[in-house]
């Protein structure tokens, strides 16, 4: 590996594979007889196994949360600015785990994997999964790693939904939950954006009902459009205006359907890049994961009842310009937690970036997370590493 690694980097990391042969029944009713999860770890698990932090990924991310790969030093983890020695989630003190969820396309069992019953890729036959399923498989991974209770489970966006579900599914197995840029369920507008993205993929002539692997093709056109639609929702109007405005790519109008505005060029670039590495079947399923998440639905729409079992302490963070998961939705979570007398710290960060703010460098946001993890570290030390 050429070049030096920054002192605050988690360093060179190597993905690992956890195999599971105990059948698991998914919420949709399907049963996975066996599956694999790819994961990475950063830092050292203490003797008491009490300093573990699970990081849950959002829509298009993966297990590669921090650090770099020896053979690809440019491939930096998606939350590397948050996790590493001396960073807000300090790997000198915490053992951090990132996992690619079931149904993913970064090595875990998913639509591209071979179905042991057919000997062919799962393709369109791969079952639809849910946040509850993901949390259940993450708990299986924790069991395999000998971790009975996490110091914290954290995530942003869809990752935050998983952190929230952990407090419902396994309330005794985590001490803290960091729920960042989240909503307790998707709005109709958000479901609508996801449906447009799915239709772009499904109606692509190269989709073949999800079995495009057998045709040696990929519905790249549909996946590009899906990514472009999604990307619009990640940025605020002000951020898009500041970055691109009405700037022309070539300085003048061409009166054609070629790329003319810089924003068009940016979206096409993002769409093309995404279509080269992400799997369309996974994208379909992950957007459904988002749509289906609604812990209150089984409690008559009462989120307070849904969170009645929660025992964790919470840090809930929202961003003022996040119109996809607005601060009002985070405040719904906070109210439901307070209704149950949970310990909650809530922060609303004034940031211009929109939904993507949870991934970006913001000094106030990072100081907040660092201070919260300082508290977790002190609590762990005071308890003598007790579980």
């Amino acid at each position: 590996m050429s070049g030096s690694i920054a002192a605050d980097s988690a360093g060179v990391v190597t993905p690992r594979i956890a195999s599971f042969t105990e059948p698991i029944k998914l919420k949709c009713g399907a049963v996975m007889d066996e599956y694999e999860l790819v994961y990475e770890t950063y830092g050292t698990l203490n003797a008491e196994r009490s300093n573990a932090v699970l990081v849950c990924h959002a829509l298009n991310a993966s297990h590669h949360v921090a650090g770099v790969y020896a053979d690809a030093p440019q491939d930096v983890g998606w939350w590397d600015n948050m996790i590493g020695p001396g960073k807000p989630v300090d790997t000198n003190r915490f053992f951090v785990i990132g996992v690619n969820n079931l149904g993913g396309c970064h090595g875990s069992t998913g639509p591209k994997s071979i179905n042991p019953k057919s000997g062919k890729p799962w393709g369109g036959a791969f079952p639809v999964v849910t946040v509850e399923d993901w949390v259940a498989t993450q708990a299986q991974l924790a069991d395999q790693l000998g971790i009975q209770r996490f110091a914290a489970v954290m995530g942003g966006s869809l990752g935050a939904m998983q952190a929230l579900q952990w407090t419902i599914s396994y309330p005794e197995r985590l001490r803290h939950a960091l729920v960042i840029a989240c909503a307790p369920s998707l709005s109709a507008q958000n479901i609508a954006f996801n449906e447009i993205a799915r239709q772009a993929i499904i109606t692509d002539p190269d989709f073949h009902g999800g079995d495009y692997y057998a045709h040696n093709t990929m519905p790249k056109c549909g996946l590009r459009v899906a990514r472009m639609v999604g990307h619009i929702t990640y940025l605020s109007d002000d951020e898009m205006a500041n970055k691109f405005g009405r700037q022309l790519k070539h300085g003048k109008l061409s009166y054609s359907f070629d790329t003319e505005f810089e924003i068009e060029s940016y979206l096409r670039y993002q769409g093309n890049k995404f279509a080269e590495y992400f799997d369309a079947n996974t994208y379909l399923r992950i957007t459904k994961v988002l749509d289906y998440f609604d812990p209150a639905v089984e409690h008559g729409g009462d989120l307070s009842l849904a969170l009645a079992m929660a025992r964790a302490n919470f840090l809930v963070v929202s961003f003022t310009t996040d119109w996809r998961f607005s601060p009002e939705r985070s405040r719904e979570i906070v109210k439901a937690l307070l209704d149950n007398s949970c310990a909650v710290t809530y922060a609303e960060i004034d940031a211009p970036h929109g939904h993507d703010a949870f991934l970006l460098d913001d000094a106030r946001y990072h100081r907040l997370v660092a201070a919260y993890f300082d508290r977790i570290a002190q609590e762990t030390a005071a308890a003598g590493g007790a579980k």
Side-chain angles (χ1 to χ4, degrees):
M1 176 178 171
S2 59
S4 59
I5 301 174
D8 62 353
S9 170
V12 175
V13 296
T14 303
R16 305 175 190 179
I17 298 175
S19 298
F20 303 89
T21 55
E22 185 75 22
I24 183 169
K25 186 174 182 179
L26 305 178
K27 193 170 183 183
C28 69
V31 175
M32 297 292 296
D33 293 326
E34 56 187 65
Y35 63 96
E36 293 181 338
L37 297 179
V38 174
Y39 69 101
E40 290 178 6
T41 65
Y42 323 93
T44 303
L45 186 63
N46 63 16
E48 298 82 12
R49 298 179 179 268
S50 62
N51 67 332
V53 175
L54 176 65
V55 175
C56 305
H57 70 73
L59 192 149
N60 65 304
S62 71
H63 55 280
H64 186 37
V65 178
V68 299
Y69 294 140
D71 58 351
Q74 75 286 350
D75 188 0
V76 179
W78 58 268
W79 223 354
D80 189 77
N81 62 353
M82 180 69 76
I83 296 159
K87 291 179 180 177
V89 186
D90 189 346
T91 51
N92 289 329
R93 297 188 293 183
F94 294 100
F95 178 69
V96 181
I97 303 166
V99 56
N100 183 217
N101 287 319
L102 185 68
C105 57
H106 297 287
S108 293
T109 298
K112 290 196 299 184
S113 305
I114 298 300
N115 181 344
K117 293 182 179 178
S118 69
K120 299 176 182 179
W122 280 92
F126 195 86
V128 173
V129 291
T130 65
V131 167
E132 292 94 327
D133 297 328
W134 282 353
V135 168
T137 56
Q138 290 163 4
Q140 293 291 324
L141 176 62
D143 290 344
Q144 196 171 111
L145 296 176
I147 298 167
Q148 292 304 307
R149 194 181 190 200
F150 284 106
V153 177
M154 69 181 297
S157 188
L158 177 54
M161 291 177 170
Q162 295 163 62
L164 193 61
Q165 185 62 44
W166 261 93
T167 71
I168 299 169
S169 296
Y170 303 99
E172 304 298 335
R173 295 196 65 173
L174 72 164
R175 300 203 311 271
H176 294 268
L178 283 82
V179 179
I180 304 170
C182 190
S185 61
L186 288 198
S187 65
Q189 183 186 51
N190 274 306
I191 294 172
F193 278 120
N194 285 343
E195 175 59 7
I196 293 169
R198 286 191 294 267
Q199 284 300 311
I201 293 169
I202 291 170
T203 58
D204 187 313
D206 288 330
F207 183 62
H208 298 289
D211 296 321
Y212 43 85
Y213 316 107
H215 295 265
N216 295 314
T217 187
M218 269 280 290
K220 288 187 177 180
C221 290
L223 194 54
R224 280 197 293 266
V225 173
R227 179 58 172 171
M228 290 166 70
V229 169
H231 213 79
I232 291 170
T233 71
Y234 306 148
L235 301 176
S236 69
D237 183 43
D238 287 345
E239 181 72 359
M240 207 173 280
N242 290 335
K243 277 189 172 183
F244 307 106
R246 291 182 54 83
Q247 297 174 51
L248 296 172
K249 186 172 177 61
H250 302 295
K252 61 179 181 179
L253 296 173
S254 64
Y255 299 96
S256 71
F257 296 103
D258 293 333
T259 304
E260 296 186 275
F261 292 92
E262 288 288 356
I263 183 60
E264 294 175 317
S265 178
Y266 172 76
L267 289 175
R268 292 192 190 190
Y269 168 77
Q270 292 293 341
N272 289 335
K273 183 175 71 170
F274 188 71
E276 290 300 319
Y277 74 87
F278 210 81
D279 182 64
N281 276 321
T282 289
Y283 197 88
L284 292 176
R285 281 153 182 78
I286 292 184
T287 56
K288 276 295 185 182
V289 172
L290 277 162
D291 290 356
Y292 288 153
F293 183 71
D294 185 2
V297 74
E298 295 178 3
H299 299 272
D302 190 328
L303 186 61
S304 297
L305 280 178
L307 291 169
M309 294 295 291
R311 297 292 178 269
N313 295 324
F314 288 80
L315 173 63
V316 180
V317 182
S318 67
F319 300 92
T320 53
T321 56
D322 182 354
W323 59 272
R324 181 153 199 184
F325 290 166
S326 67
E328 288 79 8
R329 303 309 310 279
S330 286
R331 290 198 288 269
E332 289 178 35
I333 297 171
V334 171
K335 179 186 180 301
L337 293 171
L338 292 176
D339 285 345
N340 288 293
S341 300
C342 293
V344 187
T345 300
Y346 175 62
E348 194 170 303
I349 306 294
D350 185 7
H353 311 104
H355 188 57
D356 265 357
F358 81 92
L359 294 169
L360 303 177
D361 290 318
D362 183 294
R364 297 157 301 171
Y365 164 46
H366 279 209
R367 281 198 301 268
L368 171 68
V369 176
Y372 196 84
F373 270 98
D374 281 342
R375 178 175 140 196
I376 297 174
Q378 291 165 11
E379 170 192 289
T380 301
K387 294 180 180 178

